[in-house]
Amino acid sequence: MARETGILADRAIAALFETGRLNSERELDRDQIQPASLDLRLGSKAFRVRASFMPGPSHLVSDKLDRLSLHVIDLSQGAVLETGCVYIVPLMESLALPADMSASANPKSSTGRLDIFTRVITDYAQEFDKIPAGYSGPLYLEISPRTFPIVVRRGSRLSQIRFRVGQSVLGEPELLKLHESETLVASKQPNVSGGGIALSIDLSGDKDGLIGYRGKHHTAVVDIDEKDQHDIFDFWEPLYSRGRNELILDPDEFYILVSREAVHVPPDYAAEMTPFDPLVGEFRVHYAGFFDPGFGHAPAGGRGSRAVLEVRSHEVPFILEDGQIVGRLVYEHMQEKPASLYGSGLGSNYQAQGLKLSKHFRI
């Protein structure tokens, strides 16, 4: 039986298209609807802009583009987006949400693992990645590649959106009770505070001592839509523990690391990692924050799934130590159980993952 409040599951997302609450310029891709989210697709042109901006309560995004756009790039046949530049791309999908339904967006997992900074913008927006209840209008994606130049085209999918009705976040007592029955993170003494359950960093290394990767500079381009196309060592420097169980984060370098704990998202729930917690240090963890129902769920093939962490230090070098808390998972109720769970025949790329780069790199 469906709850009155909660995150919309795949069948309800499909119904939004049928009722005109969601619209798109072309037919949906076969795998575009995920268990608890919808992948958003780039439109046919990108605007290179002088700087990121917020429309504010009195302006359309198009008003700002008229003033800030430097040039327009045709994406119909594919184009390179350069590092250090900011682009605004109108998306194929648009919204006409009912008054009781809001939405939020995040980069897709593969987007975060390539250090591509993305944020969804709406007309009259006062927050990035937040779509207020009842919003009706177009969606835009701000894109800024940070480490690697990328190739994108019309239809490329860099971001995803999640829809919710009412308040669906689990409070701390409810979260602790769910952990006791379902083991949300593989920890004997879970840290439940700040509205979420803590994850810590694994710097002990695998059997070869590998603890993570650091992105290289001045590389070739990465084609967003191609899997298994690039040699890891052309883009990444492997990092090893060397027995110290710590890592010094250099300012403005990008790292792929992994959580010590396995993560479990039961079928009736969805989760999101807080992208930055000022209580744990001067660094940002995890651009791509959605965990679909079934991630790490043993019947869906996910036993032992870790959270891959996209980490960037800010102003100063920062020492991470093995077992240090680096973020928190916030869990929400689903309105109903999805028809398909993450990893269950969906071609999910990161089920049962350990330390893993994005799908674009050959093992």
Side-chain angles (χ1 to χ4, degrees), residues 96-108:
L97 296 180
D100 64 344
M101 186 180 297
S102 62
S104 57
N106 273 96
K108 286 174 59 63

Side-chain angles (χ1 to χ4, degrees), residues 191 197-203 247 249 255-261 263 272-287 291 307-312 318-329:
N191 181 315
I197 188 165
L199 285 180
S200 64
I201 195 80
D202 183 358
L203 296 178
L247 175 66
L249 302 177
Y255 300 84
I256 294 291
L257 305 171
V258 70
S259 69
R260 170 186 281 187
E261 301 86 2
V263 172
E272 182 174 0
M273 180 177 283
T274 53
F276 174 74
D277 186 341
L279 299 177
V280 301
E282 291 300 320
F283 56 91
R284 179 187 172 101
V285 174
H286 219 282
Y287 289 97
F291 290 78
V308 167
L309 308 169
E310 301 114 16
V311 179
R312 178 181 286 278
F318 190 87
I319 297 176
L320 277 181
E321 297 185 359
D322 184 50
Q324 184 172 339
I325 293 175
V326 293
R328 298 185 183 279
L329 284 174

Side-chain angles (χ1 to χ4, degrees), residues 323-342:
Q324 184 172 339
I325 293 175
V326 293
R328 298 185 183 279
L329 284 174
V330 176
Y331 282 74
E332 295 187 66
H333 290 282
M334 297 292 297
Q335 266 200 323
E336 61 181 348
K337 188 178 296 184
S340 298
L341 297 179
Y342 187 88

Side-chain angles (χ1 to χ4, degrees), residues 16 24 51 59 78 144 151 170 248 265 304:
L16 292 178
S24 185
H59 294 282
S144 183
V151 173
L170 275 67
I248 298 178
V265 183

Side-chain angles (χ1 to χ4, degrees), residues 137-213:
L139 299 173
Y140 300 81
L141 189 66
E142 176 187 321
I143 306 172
S144 183
R146 303 294 301 277
T147 297
F148 312 123
I150 59 173
V151 173
V152 298
R153 56 189 56 79
R154 185 173 187 264
S156 294
R157 290 144 56 173
L158 297 178
S159 187
Q160 55 192 170
I161 190 169
R162 183 173 284 180
F163 303 91
R164 61 174 54 82
V165 174
Q167 201 289 122
S168 56
V169 176
L170 275 67
E172 290 177 17
E174 193 176 8
L175 185 61
L176 186 57
K177 182 178 179 180
L178 180 63
H179 173 76
E180 290 171 348
S181 63
E182 295 283 358
T183 310
L184 303 180
V185 299
S187 173
K188 294 180 180 179
Q189 295 181 313
N191 181 315
V192 178
S193 62
I197 188 165
L199 285 180
S200 64
I201 195 80
D202 183 358
L203 296 178
S204 61
D206 63 11
K207 59 183 177 60
D208 298 316
L210 181 69
I211 60 172
Y213 297 90

Side-chain angles (χ1 to χ4, degrees), residues 61-241:
V61 174
S62 58
D63 296 337
K64 298 282 188 173
L65 289 177
D66 288 341
R67 184 166 64 87
L68 297 175
S69 178
L70 299 176
H71 63 272
V72 180
I73 302 167
D74 182 8
L75 300 183
S76 58
Q77 300 302 315
V80 175
L81 305 186
E82 301 284 355
T83 58
C85 299
V86 180
Y87 305 87
I88 304 295
V89 181
L91 296 172
M92 287 190 187
E93 287 72 36
S94 59
L95 302 179
L97 296 180
D100 64 344
M101 186 180 297
S102 62
S104 57
N106 273 96
K108 286 174 59 63
S109 294
S110 295
T111 305
R113 295 183 203 203
L114 290 174
D115 198 21
I116 306 167
F117 188 68
T118 70
R119 301 190 286 199
V120 168
I121 312 173
T122 65
D123 288 337
Y124 312 114
Q126 299 184 74
E127 292 182 278
F128 294 111
D129 282 334
K130 304 294 183 185
I131 296 90
Y135 174 75
S136 181
L139 299 173
Y140 300 81
L141 189 66
E142 176 187 321
I143 306 172
S144 183
R146 303 294 301 277
T147 297
F148 312 123
I150 59 173
V151 173
V152 298
R153 56 189 56 79
R154 185 173 187 264
S156 294
R157 290 144 56 173
L158 297 178
S159 187
Q160 55 192 170
I161 190 169
R162 183 173 284 180
F163 303 91
R164 61 174 54 82
V165 174
Q167 201 289 122
S168 56
V169 176
L170 275 67
E172 290 177 17
E174 193 176 8
L175 185 61
L176 186 57
K177 182 178 179 180
L178 180 63
H179 173 76
E180 290 171 348
S181 63
E182 295 283 358
T183 310
L184 303 180
V185 299
S187 173
K188 294 180 180 179
Q189 295 181 313
N191 181 315
V192 178
S193 62
I197 188 165
L199 285 180
S200 64
I201 195 80
D202 183 358
L203 296 178
S204 61
D206 63 11
K207 59 183 177 60
D208 298 316
L210 181 69
I211 60 172
Y213 297 90
R214 178 165 49 203
K216 293 184 175 181
H217 300 281
H218 314 297
T219 67
V221 298
V222 176
D223 190 322
I224 288 298
D225 299 321
E226 297 292 334
K227 293 177 63 174
D228 304 321
Q229 290 297 304
H230 302 289
D231 188 299
I232 288 175
F233 300 105
D234 290 338
F235 292 82
W236 298 98
E237 174 192 355
L239 303 173
Y240 296 90
S241 66

